[in-house]
Amino acid sequence: MASVYDRWHLSRPKKGADLCAEHSSKTRALVPSADHGKGKRWQVRWRDAAGEQQKENFAKRSQADTRAATIEADLARGLYVDPAAGKESFRAVAERWRTNAVHRGGTASRVERALRLHIYPTFGDRPIVTIRPSEVQAWVKDRSQVLAPSTLRVTYAYLVTIMHTAVRDRTIAVNPCAGTKLPEVRRAEIVPLHESAVHALIEAAPPRFRAMVLLAVASGLRQGEVFGLEVDCIDFLRREVTVRQQLITPDKDADAEEGETPEPYLGEPKTHESYRTVPLVGLAVDALAAHLQQYPAAVVDIEDRTDPRKPKRRKAHMLFSNDRNEALKRAGWTWVWSRMEERANEALGKAYAEAYAAWVQRGRPKGEEPAQVRVPDGASMHDLRHFYASALIKNRESVKTVQRRLGHSKPSITLDIYTHLWPDDEDTTRAAIEAVLGGVPALCPPVKIISG
């Protein structure tokens, strides 16, 4: 129960005490206390949910009465927030959430990096209760000048989750992120690589990685899933590849020493649906067999975190490794890919020049001019995954099948990314309806259309 007390006057004065000349009246005799005239007059006292006594002072009685009523109602409904708790810094609350949250794979390092680079500089040292909705909106506007809309949404989601956790812990009463408007995310339509560009990339790959690139094209696996394959993930008899883990290279930590490179580890796949088995064409299986003959599986001592409860170090027989028989790292592969891209575009340019010269020699027949194909700037191994998806869609595989092959958590994700690639054929629609209604008799005679 919350009660209001008059700090400036005694509630139980002794008999004969001198009355307060300033505040006494004909109907009420008040005796001044030792705090008379010092600070705010009215004090609300209550015991919080833990039984600890709390106090808060107000200048006016009406303010104190309102606060007392609010506290009583919040205590009764279990919504009471300790005013002192909100004085905790945002950084302290965020670090408590970050260290206690359960993250998959490399998410933990991405969260740490987003907090350190984009959220802590603005809110880190602020008492969390002082952060206002207008300040959150201003932060969004500022970060939108630095981050792409999709990346900003992910970073903002961390901020929202931290504030929501603070509300649940009764550290703050309301989430200041409520009502915040974010920049619209306009997803650019995926343009799959041209078939000739994919062939050129495979040919341009160093011998050690040629089978790996071919496997990525033939399976649609994510880069980390390809890097994390062990020999027993390939079933050569059934012509299948099983995804049960991925190789994760953490982002560099703020406390890491200069020049120190984070060590990769084996972790869980991206989503539950990413645990999957993908059929392979014979060409890919044969290429993998030839690869293992020339480059036997490397035995790599690596940390295995596929079971977060029981991380361990073990010897992994990696299907693909670098020339030092180590697990592949993003930085090293980025360099290899950039050289592949250069060689592929050189080959594509040469092929175009030859085709163009032949076309000119034939007298430039209309409709036969060769198209100039190249690997676009900014392409990556993920574009091989898009190419795989486009091949399935082109051959009229269902959304559910494409989702399962790619390991998306929901069909809606597959549609969001690739819906523009599914054929939209009006003739097919008409044929489907005509097949259903073909036996229905005409309800009216045919109409003769007169032209002109």
Side-chain angles (χ1 to χ4, degrees), residues 95-109:
E95 285 300 299
R96 188 162 60 245
W97 166 78
R98 184 180 69 84
T99 55
N100 292 336
V102 179
H103 298 300
R104 296 178 68 91
T107 305
S109 60

Side-chain angles (χ1 to χ4, degrees), residues 12-33:
R12 295 191 180 111
K14 294 180 180 180
K15 291 182 179 181
D18 294 334
L19 298 181
C20 176
E22 183 179 356
H23 299 102
S24 293
S25 64
K26 294 181 180 179
T27 58
R28 189 176 184 190
L30 299 175
V31 175
S33 67

